[in-house]
């Protein structure tokens, strides 16, 4: 139950940000789906691994979904990617880093700072990983043709 | 006019149009390679071959030539106008249609003008959705329901405030530091609302800063770096980091002042 509420919130949040960025109405639903599945990917891994690893898988899912949508709907990938990646951005770690810096607990600041850098790099890795996959792989026809060739 | 001259002026018109299309995309938050793509698609579709464009995060340098001489050279500074992903989508579609030979230059110009004049969503509508979305994100990042509702209200106000600051042309630094400070103040004020129970100021701030977070610059910087546009990627990444720091400094300064002055019941 908790999981479902979480996913619904991720969906609604991503959709809200796509409105904020003036995405066309016909793409709102897909933006929400991309964000929701990314958050699902994050949740699946967060209990067994670290936040950075979970963020990597979350970002991976978001970018995969965004690319699939962008090939399917023939529109720029940015449309889905920007709002979909929002829940994964390490806003809280960066905020805590500055908070501990200002309140003079430098040790905690270092911990949180390294954590936010790790998460940011995880997002970078996730995006770069999928962006370098050839575009035609996201086209269903390519795979159907591939299956025929094998026969 | 001789045939040669008309041909040259036609080519100039095409390159100017390509530059306009690229400008609109870049100022609304497109990646570097997409702008390059648009310009080269349009030029190729209208059979203008010798065009070179060099694109930075805030400028386009473009030159064109024929066999004998250079016929076009322009450097254009492009400040970021605000994010409108709908416009990027439309210009992208337009360039694809041009590449398939659907429009003449004149028709395409009219189309581009239509796209450029598309208004953004209504301000209140955007504000409400930003607030609602921040509340939702606050909830999935660990807030209680009460905190999420408080976050929604604060994020809505903060979004309107940041739009107001932008209209007054305050610098990014002032806008984000004041925005962060305002969020922290509101979050502290919320703890004094009667009958609200215990709420965590930190959780409210984490949700509340969502509308200020430079998500577009962050994602674009990563995509630029991944495409080996290192110059623009670095500039945008630095931009992201600075904005993050401004917000966090604004918020945490207010919190530590509160600590120092009132003894801090955090």
């Amino acid at each position: 139950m908790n999981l479902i509420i979480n996913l619904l919130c991720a969906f609604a949040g991503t959709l809200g940000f796509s409105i904020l960025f003036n995405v066309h109405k016909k793409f709102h639903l897909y933006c929400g789906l991309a964000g929701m599945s990314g958050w699902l990917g994050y949740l699946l891994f967060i209990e067994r691994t670290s936040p950075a690893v979970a963020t990597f898988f979350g970002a991976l899912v978001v970018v995969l979904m965004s690319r699939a949508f962008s090939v399917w709907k023939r529109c720029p990938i940015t449309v889905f990617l920007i709002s979909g990646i929002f829940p994964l951005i390490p806003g809280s770690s960066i905020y805590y880093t500055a908070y501990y810096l200002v309140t003079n607990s430098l040790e905690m600041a270092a911990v949180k700072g390294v954590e936010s850098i790790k998460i940011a790099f995880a997002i970078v890795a996730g995006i770069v990983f999928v962006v370098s996959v050839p575009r035609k792989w996201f086209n269903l026809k390519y795979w159907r043709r591939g299956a025929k060739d094998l026969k | 006019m001789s045939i040669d001259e008309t041909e040259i002026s036609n080519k100039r018109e095409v390159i100017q149009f390509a530059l306009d299309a690229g400008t609109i995309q870049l100022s609304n938050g497109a990646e570097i390679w997409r702008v390059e793509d648009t310009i080269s698609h349009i030029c190729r579709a209208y059979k203008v071959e010798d065009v070179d464009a060099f694109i930075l995060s805030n400028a386009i340098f473009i030159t064109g030539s024929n066999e004998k001489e250079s016929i076009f050279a322009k450097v254009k500074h492009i400040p970021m106008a605000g994010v409108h992903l709908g416009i990027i989508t439309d210009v992208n579609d337009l360039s694809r249609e041009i590449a398939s030979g659907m429009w003449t230059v004149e028709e395409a110009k009219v189309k581009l003008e239509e796209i450029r004049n598309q208004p953004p969503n209504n301000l209140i509508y955007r504000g409400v959705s930003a607030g609602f979305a921040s509340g939702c994100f606050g909830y999935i990042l660990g807030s209680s329901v009460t905190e999420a509702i408080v976050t929604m209200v604060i994020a809505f106000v903060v979004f309107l405030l940041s739009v107001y600051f932008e209209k007054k042309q305050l610098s990014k630094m002032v806008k984000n530091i004041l925005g962060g400070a305002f969020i922290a103040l509101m979050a502290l004020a919320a703890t004094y609302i009667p009958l609200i129970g215990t709420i965590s100021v930190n959780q409210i701030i984490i949700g509340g800063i969502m509308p200020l977070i430079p998500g577009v610059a962050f994602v674009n910087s990563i995509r630029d770096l991944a495409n080996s546009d290192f110059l623009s990627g670095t500039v945008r990444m630095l931009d992201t980091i600075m904005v993050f720091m401004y917000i966090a400094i604004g918020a945490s300064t207010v919190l530590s002042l509160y600590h120092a002055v009132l003894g801090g019941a955090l």
Side-chain angles (χ1 to χ4, degrees), chain A residues 65-132:
Chain A
M65 295 288 280
S66 309
R67 273 205 86 172
F69 285 144
S70 83
V71 172
W72 180 33
K73 293 278 155 194
R74 314 203 82 201
C75 73
I77 184 177
T78 335
V79 170
F80 310 110
L81 192 55
I82 288 180
S83 16
I85 216 91
F86 243 88
L88 301 172
I89 290 180
S92 67
S93 323
I94 295 177
Y95 162 68
Y96 276 120
T97 310
Y99 173 70
Y100 287 127
L101 272 179
V102 174
T103 52
N104 224 359
S105 28
L106 297 180
E107 217 169 287
M108 284 306 289
V111 171
K112 284 289 175 185
V114 171
E115 188 185 286
S116 43
I117 292 173
K118 267 165 73 182
I119 293 177
F121 266 100
I123 296 177
V124 173
I127 291 180
V128 173
F129 203 72
V130 180
V131 165
S132 45

Side-chain angles (χ1 to χ4, degrees), chain A:
Chain A
M1 193 59 213
N2 200 11
L3 179 76
I4 294 172
I5 294 176
N6 250 292
L7 289 182
L8 277 182
C9 274
F11 181 83
T14 322
L15 206 149
F17 271 94
S18 69
I19 294 172
L20 178 61
F21 294 137
N22 299 307
V23 173
H24 284 316
K25 266 206 193 78
K26 54 184 172 184
F27 298 137
H28 283 171
L29 185 66
Y30 303 102
C31 288
L33 280 179
M36 186 177 86
S37 37
W39 191 246
L40 180 65
Y42 176 86
L43 287 180
L44 286 182
F45 284 91
I46 187 67
E47 271 169 23
R48 272 159 232 144
T49 56
S50 68
V53 177
T55 307
F56 171 73
F57 284 106
L60 210 64
V61 176
V62 173
V63 190
L64 269 175
M65 295 288 280
S66 309
R67 273 205 86 172
F69 285 144
S70 83
V71 172
W72 180 33
K73 293 278 155 194
R74 314 203 82 201
C75 73
I77 184 177
T78 335
V79 170
F80 310 110
L81 192 55
I82 288 180
S83 16
I85 216 91
F86 243 88
L88 301 172
I89 290 180
S92 67
S93 323
I94 295 177
Y95 162 68
Y96 276 120
T97 310
Y99 173 70
Y100 287 127
L101 272 179
V102 174
T103 52
N104 224 359
S105 28
L106 297 180
E107 217 169 287
M108 284 306 289
V111 171
K112 284 289 175 185
V114 171
E115 188 185 286
S116 43
I117 292 173
K118 267 165 73 182
I119 293 177
F121 266 100
I123 296 177
V124 173
I127 291 180
V128 173
F129 203 72
V130 180
V131 165
S132 45
V133 172
R135 188 188 163 84
K136 56 186 177 189
W137 286 21
F138 287 92
N139 213 331
L140 266 182
K141 277 183 200 148
Y142 173 78
W143 293 105
R144 287 198 194 122
R145 205 178 307 137
K148 264 180 211 156
D149 286 349
L150 281 180
K151 281 174 195 166

Side-chain angles (χ1 to χ4, degrees), chain A residues 5-6 9 13-14 16-17 19-22 24 39 74 76-79 81 85 87 89 92 95-96 98-99 102, chain B residues 31 34 83-86 89-90 96 121 126 129 133 136-137 139-140 159 202 205-206 219 223 248 252 255-256:
Chain A
I5 294 176
N6 250 292
C9 274
T14 322
F17 271 94
I19 294 172
L20 178 61
F21 294 137
N22 299 307
H24 284 316
W39 191 246
R74 314 203 82 201
I77 184 177
T78 335
V79 170
L81 192 55
I85 216 91
I89 290 180
S92 67
Y95 162 68
Y96 276 120
Y99 173 70
V102 174
Chain B
E31 317 92 303
R34 189 176 305 287
V83 183
H84 196 313
L85 296 180
T89 317
D90 286 348
R96 197 175 283 137
N121 287 336
R126 273 192 296 160
S129 54
C136 289
F137 282 160
Y139 180 78
I140 60 178
F159 174 75
N202 282 334
I205 292 177
I206 288 168
V219 173
R223 308 222 39 225
S252 46
L255 283 190
S256 69

Side-chain angles (χ1 to χ4, degrees), chain B residues 148-216:
Chain B
I149 292 168
V150 174
T151 308
M152 278 181 195
V153 178
I154 293 179
F156 170 68
V157 180
V158 163
F159 174 75
L160 293 186
L161 199 69
S162 76
V163 171
Y164 175 76
F165 284 156
E166 260 165 38
K167 223 171 234 164
K168 291 280 163 200
Q169 304 202 320
L170 285 180
S171 75
K172 227 175 221 178
M173 182 176 142
V174 178
K175 174 190 140 192
N176 287 303
I177 290 184
L178 286 183
F182 179 77
I183 295 164
L185 272 178
M186 295 273 281
L188 286 173
T191 56
Y192 288 103
I193 298 174
L195 298 179
I196 202 165
T198 45
I199 52 174
S200 149
V201 174
N202 282 334
Q203 282 296 343
I204 294 177
I205 292 177
I206 288 168
I209 58 178
M210 282 286 174
L212 295 179
I213 284 181
V216 178

